[in-house]
Amino acid sequence: MADLIVPGIAGVSTTGTDYITEANWDKFGAITNPASDPLAAICVTVASRAIDAHCNRSFYLDATPSTRTYRAEHAHRLEIDDFGTLAGLVVASDTADNGTFGTTWAATDYEVDPINGLLAGLPWAYTGLRAVGNQLFPHYGWPVRSRVQITARWGWPTVPDAVSMACYVLTLDLYGLKEAAYGVVGSAEFGMFRIRQNPQVQLLLKEYVRYGVLVG
């Protein structure tokens, strides 16, 4: 079994936002003073990144917009990665099929899905676009080229309550392993293993698991 990996060591990714804070620990009374125990913070980070990997999405919002490209399968619909705000959103397409995104879409050329950022009455990230104006998503040609470019702030506008609870349950699970003979494995891979072993966490995350999209 691998040794404990502490965030901050070279080669260990700590990218992302933790889904619970010290206030969550205090609320549930799991640790009186989590700030005094470095292991608590490690377990929170491992649990947060394991949830990302399990759900195939990130529930924190990027601070600034960045660009990604996609292959469209339909002229009127495009499924993309989660983005959490319309601010900074730019849609462009490669209508000439030459590898450049020379056509920038107007806001009237598309609508976002889900409408109003709600799904079944719950706040949700935007997960797709629909062409409703004069533009169409280029989806033909061979070889199929990534011909749609999206600039957005990727992620979710707020962390869902179920995800926060799942993070707490998983963190507590990981933290409890400190008394085990082989200690805690501080990696997202081990965190995913613990998710598969924890029906409570699986139930909390069930509605948030997403399968891949056609990223270029």
Side-chain angles (χ1 to χ4, degrees):
M1 187 174 287
D3 294 330
L4 175 67
I5 299 175
V6 179
I9 293 179
V12 178
S13 174
T14 58
T15 302
T17 299
D18 291 343
Y19 295 141
I20 63 173
T21 64
E22 292 177 18
N24 296 104
W25 286 99
D26 294 339
K27 183 184 300 182
F28 289 98
I31 302 177
T32 302
N33 185 14
S36 66
D37 189 348
L39 183 59
I42 295 170
C43 290
V44 170
T45 298
V46 170
S48 299
R49 301 291 73 78
I51 287 172
D52 290 349
H54 176 76
C55 294
N56 196 33
R57 65 197 336 160
S58 299
F59 296 97
Y60 57 88
L61 187 63
D62 287 352
T64 57
S66 60
T67 298
R68 301 179 185 180
T69 59
Y70 296 88
R71 297 184 184 96
E73 287 192 319
H74 195 281
H76 295 279
R77 299 190 307 273
L78 179 68
E79 184 180 5
I80 63 176
D81 294 305
D82 304 337
F83 65 100
T85 176
L86 298 180
L89 177 64
V90 180
V91 180
S93 58
D94 174 11
T95 54
D97 194 19
N98 61 5
T100 62
F101 301 92
T103 302
T104 301
W105 292 34
T108 52
D109 289 330
Y110 62 86
E111 289 182 348
V112 293
D113 282 331
I115 297 174
N116 301 318
L118 295 172
L119 189 64
L122 296 174
W124 208 266
Y126 299 113
T127 60
L129 301 173
R130 291 179 181 267
V132 296
N134 296 322
Q135 303 292 347
L136 297 175
F137 296 115
H139 65 292
Y140 48 83
W142 185 262
V144 178
R145 204 188 287 269
S146 301
R147 298 178 61 188
V148 183
Q149 183 184 75
I150 308 294
T151 302
R153 289 180 62 189
W154 306 103
W156 279 55
T158 57
V159 181
D161 291 340
V163 171
S164 295
M165 178 61 74
C167 188
Y168 169 75
V169 174
L170 182 58
T171 299
L172 190 58
D173 181 5
L174 293 169
Y175 187 78
L177 295 177
K178 68 177 182 175
E179 306 298 336
Y182 298 102
V184 177
V185 178
S187 69
E189 181 179 357
F190 184 70
M192 289 185 67
F193 170 78
R194 298 303 296 184
I195 289 176
R196 292 193 292 269
Q197 300 299 310
N198 194 315
Q200 291 177 312
V201 176
Q202 289 192 51
L203 182 61
L204 286 164
L205 297 178
K206 179 180 179 181
E207 301 301 325
Y208 295 95
V209 175
R210 187 181 188 188
Y211 299 98
V213 295
L214 296 176
V215 183

